[in-house]
Amino acid sequence: MRGHLKLFLLTAALLPIAGIAPAQSGPVTYLDQGMAWTPATRADFYTRDQGAQMIPLAWLKALKSPDGQPFLADGLARYGYLPNPASAEGLPIGFTVAGPAGSRMTGMTCAACHTRQIVANGQEYRVDGGPALSDFQTFLHDMDVAAGQVANDNAAFTAFAAAVLGAHAPAARVAALKNDFGLWYARWHALMRGALPADPWGLGRLDAVSMIFNRLTGLDLGPPPTRIIAANILPADAPVRYPFLWNAPIQDKTQWPGFSDNGDDLLALSRNLGEVYGVFGTYQPKKEWWHFFGINFLSGNSANFGGLGKLEGLVKKIGAPKWPWPLDPALVARGKIIYEWPTAQGGCADCHGQRPGKERFLFKKTWATPIMDVGTDSHEHDILAHTSNSGVLAGVQIPFGSKIQPTDKTFTLLGISVIGSILQHYTTPLLAQSRARHKASGKTPTAPKLLPEQNELSGAFRGPAAGTGPTQFPYESRVLYGIWAAAPYLHNGSVATLADLLKPAAQRPASFPMGRYYDTHAVGLAADQHGSLYVRTTTGCEARNSGNSRCGHEYGTNLSPADKQALLEYLKSM
């Protein structure tokens, strides 16, 4: 065994072992999430392709864990992913298979990160659109180790090739596979080596913004064949918990720091396309002067625009989950009064109530999403300030702005990639007709111009404005329907229960176990997670920028115990 493979395996031993109890094989109670959310829409949501291309399916099925077992042996349940009996390939919920026979690709879709299962009183409950309790970092790392075995050990590659191609494949096909796999692994390993942080994200968290930045700028903008710009790949060390999806399409801002305009289908497409690029969508832009901004954004682009539209339609149908256990009507009524008190008195509605937001394209109604600094962990704002080598995008003219510089804001590079891809997708037929007319007339064609009314897209990923005064590190304040099913709390998942959130930061637990077991009284994660190996360790207000600070949001902390109980009862009912 070569030295660097030994190093991979040693690194695997030093990282936390995936250790969440798999979802029980017994019956699952599907929560009431509205009449529009049916078994058919649920099944579609679990498998709808959005264009992510993580790894060829045949390769994934042939990979082995270091112990010699198939990498897919337990359907990835060891990482917290939920079984999908409808998958013919044994893949969990949110893992997709797309493409023609013989070259099918495995990818991920929204449901992998936004489907939750909780356990209370011995019963499993499904929360569709809820924040997943999965260990994405260990999954990515372990797949890197498994692939490294194949790439760096001849015997392992021989066994892999036999599994993929058959025992007696021609030498030329084996050589082509070795070349293709080597290129894929070089890119995958560059991302994992540069991005995965030493302090793991843990269960139910991901530094999504960094991973999108890293994957797009680190693997897509450099010269072929690898397209890697290794210096653009930075540690993804500002993890946040997965948000809940119900009502997400109607908020007028989205993303935890609130940097993305939201509330209509065009803005939703920009949001979702950026996510596809982050979860291994293929994106290979190249300079071609006759396209928008002089770049062909759809060259080798795997984004499934139709699938993205259908997924957004499905998300619109996911209702907030209804509390499945008895409630005390008198407490709920009292709690509603407290909830509607002004924030200064410990109420919630000033920031989290449903009220009209900004109108979007074609007078689309939205809900207001206040973006506020309430003293919570600040580290994600460090990520938003990153810059990157612009690679192939250098020199592109930003609509209504300046040209992209050789080193520019990473947000700008993501934004122009998203905007350019969408515009090119929807204008390609018109552009082809225009070029044909110019050719017939003998005139020299010109690059298309961006119309002012198309500027709505530029707000989708323009990036956050520089903070001033007391609002240096703001985050979104969403409407709280279904909040009972979204523990742990705060954007970085640093508070286990809503009861803990009603305590001053200094009194909140410094650490707590992570898992599926639910506390119906404290409203959140149970203190006993039945053998889960995952523990969330937090810092206090002395380390607000740690990425794990439980500081901030000290609203309701001065309420009496009786008022807190009533408020919790009302939050259960929302």
Side-chain angles (χ1 to χ4, degrees):
M1 185 182 295
R2 295 183 180 180
H4 45 276
L5 181 54
K6 290 180 181 178
L7 179 59
F8 294 158
L9 299 180
L10 176 61
T11 303
L14 294 176
L15 281 174
I17 300 171
I20 182 173
Q24 298 174 10
S25 58
V28 173
T29 298
Y30 293 91
L31 295 175
D32 180 354
Q33 296 191 244
M35 295 183 64
W37 193 245
T38 66
T41 54
R42 176 184 297 115
D44 195 358
F45 176 67
Y46 287 172
T47 58
R48 172 65 62 175
D49 174 55
Q50 60 180 10
Q53 295 186 335
M54 183 166 56
I55 185 174
L57 176 64
W59 295 7
L60 180 60
K61 294 172 75 171
L63 288 180
K64 302 284 188 183
S65 295
D67 63 2
Q69 294 297 309
F71 189 74
L72 289 176
D74 66 347
L76 306 180
R78 62 193 180 277
Y79 305 110
Y81 293 108
L82 299 172
N84 184 6
S87 172
E89 306 297 343
L91 295 172
I93 287 171
F95 283 69
T96 60
V97 176
S103 58
R104 293 186 298 168
M105 297 293 294
T106 305
M108 299 178 75
T109 193
C110 314
C113 302
H114 300 284
T115 306
R116 188 187 195 117
Q117 207 140 299
I118 61 176
V119 184
N121 303 318
Q123 176 62 46
E124 301 248 357
Y125 296 87
R126 179 66 53 80
V127 186
D128 289 318
L133 288 170
S134 55
D135 185 353
F136 193 34
Q137 179 171 344
T138 301
F139 163 68
L140 295 175
H141 170 270
D142 287 359
M143 201 161 90
D144 186 44
V145 171
Q149 237 176 326
V150 173
N152 297 297
D153 183 273
N154 289 333
F157 176 78
T158 298
F160 174 82
V164 172
L165 302 174
H168 305 290
R173 291 190 66 200
V174 173
L177 175 64
K178 189 174 185 66
N179 181 73
D180 292 344
F181 186 85
L183 177 59
W184 175 88
Y185 174 69
R187 289 166 50 78
W188 181 272
H189 183 57
L191 182 62
M192 300 309 145
R193 178 179 56 199
L196 298 186
D199 183 12
W201 303 325
L203 199 66
R205 293 201 306 179
L206 159 68
D207 185 351
V209 173
S210 286
M211 290 304 286
I212 293 172
F213 283 179
N214 284 332
R215 214 219 58 78
L216 187 140
T217 67
L219 299 187
D220 295 337
L221 305 185
T226 68
R227 303 182 185 275
I228 295 171
I229 304 178
N232 283 351
I233 303 174
L234 303 175
D237 61 358
V240 297
R241 70 172 175 86
Y242 300 110
F244 56 83
L245 290 189
W246 49 86
N247 300 325
I250 202 171
Q251 301 278 172
D252 65 4
K253 292 282 186 179
T254 192
Q255 308 296 344
W256 283 117
F259 57 72
S260 183
D261 289 347
N262 189 54
D264 65 32
D265 289 343
L266 187 60
L267 293 170
L269 179 58
S270 68
R271 158 173 42 91
N272 293 329
L273 182 58
E275 180 253 335
V276 170
Y277 290 157
V279 291
F280 314 109
T282 302
Y283 174 58
Q284 299 175 346
K286 63 180 180 180
K287 290 188 183 297
E288 290 180 350
W289 65 265
W290 56 88
H291 290 287
F292 277 112
F293 319 128
I295 295 287
N296 184 348
F297 293 98
L298 298 186
S299 171
N301 192 320
S302 68
N304 183 340
F305 287 88
L308 286 170
K310 289 177 180 177
L311 271 168
E312 186 67 12
L314 290 169
V315 170
K316 290 178 182 178
K317 295 180 179 181
I318 303 177
K322 294 184 179 179
W323 180 263
W325 304 289
L327 290 165
D328 183 325
L331 268 185
V332 170
R334 172 61 180 162
K336 184 175 187 293
I337 294 171
I338 297 168
Y339 181 88
E340 293 174 351
W341 282 350
T343 300
Q345 295 178 245
C348 312
D350 283 354
C351 302
H352 296 290
Q354 179 187 329
R355 61 181 185 275
K358 292 184 178 180
E359 285 191 351
R360 297 303 185 195
F361 186 59
L362 297 178
F363 309 105
K364 180 73 173 181
K365 303 295 184 182
T366 68
W367 293 349
T369 312
I371 310 300
M372 303 175 64
D373 184 344
V374 294
T376 53
D377 190 282
S378 57
H379 191 40
E380 188 170 13
H381 284 267
D382 295 336
I383 304 301
L384 304 183
H386 283 175
T387 59
S388 297
N389 180 330
S390 303
V392 69
L393 299 181
V396 167
Q397 178 66 53
I398 300 172
F400 312 108
S402 58
K403 287 186 177 181
I404 291 179
Q405 301 302 304
T407 297
D408 215 316
K409 293 180 179 179
T410 309
F411 244 115
T412 300
L413 303 179
L414 172 62
I416 202 70
S417 296
V418 167
I419 294 167
S421 298
I422 292 173
L423 291 176
Q424 186 176 339
H425 171 75
Y426 285 110
T427 60
T428 292
L430 299 176
L431 181 59
Q433 295 173 14
S434 175
R435 292 181 66 195
R437 287 195 300 270
H438 277 92
K439 184 176 180 180
S441 67
K443 296 180 180 179
T444 302
T446 58
K449 304 296 184 183
L450 185 66
L451 300 176
E453 58 265 30
Q454 293 170 312
N455 190 42
E456 182 188 40
L457 274 174
S458 67
F461 280 97
R462 68 165 59 95
T468 57
T471 57
Q472 289 289 330
F473 308 110
Y475 295 95
E476 66 173 2
S477 306
R478 286 178 59 181
V479 177
L480 295 185
Y481 300 138
I483 191 62
W484 67 268
Y489 297 102
L490 299 185
H491 72 276
N492 62 346
S494 58
V495 181
T497 69
L498 287 177
D500 290 328
L501 194 58
L502 292 177
K503 300 174 183 176
Q507 297 177 23
R508 297 167 186 167
S511 65
F512 51 89
M514 290 288 301
R516 294 196 183 96
Y517 288 86
Y518 189 82
D519 186 330
T520 59
H521 177 71
V523 193
L525 302 182
D528 183 358
Q529 289 297 334
H530 299 265
S532 170
L533 300 180
Y534 292 96
V535 175
R536 177 71 37 82
T537 300
T538 67
T539 64
C541 297
E542 79 286 348
R544 184 184 177 186
N545 201 45
S546 69
N548 294 300
S549 174
R550 62 187 181 276
C551 190
H553 198 280
E554 296 204 10
Y555 300 110
T557 58
N558 292 323
L559 294 173
S560 70
D563 282 348
K564 288 182 180 181
Q565 183 183 5
L567 179 56
L568 289 176
E569 197 76 357
Y570 179 65
L571 291 171
K572 295 175 187 178
S573 75
M574 292 187 69

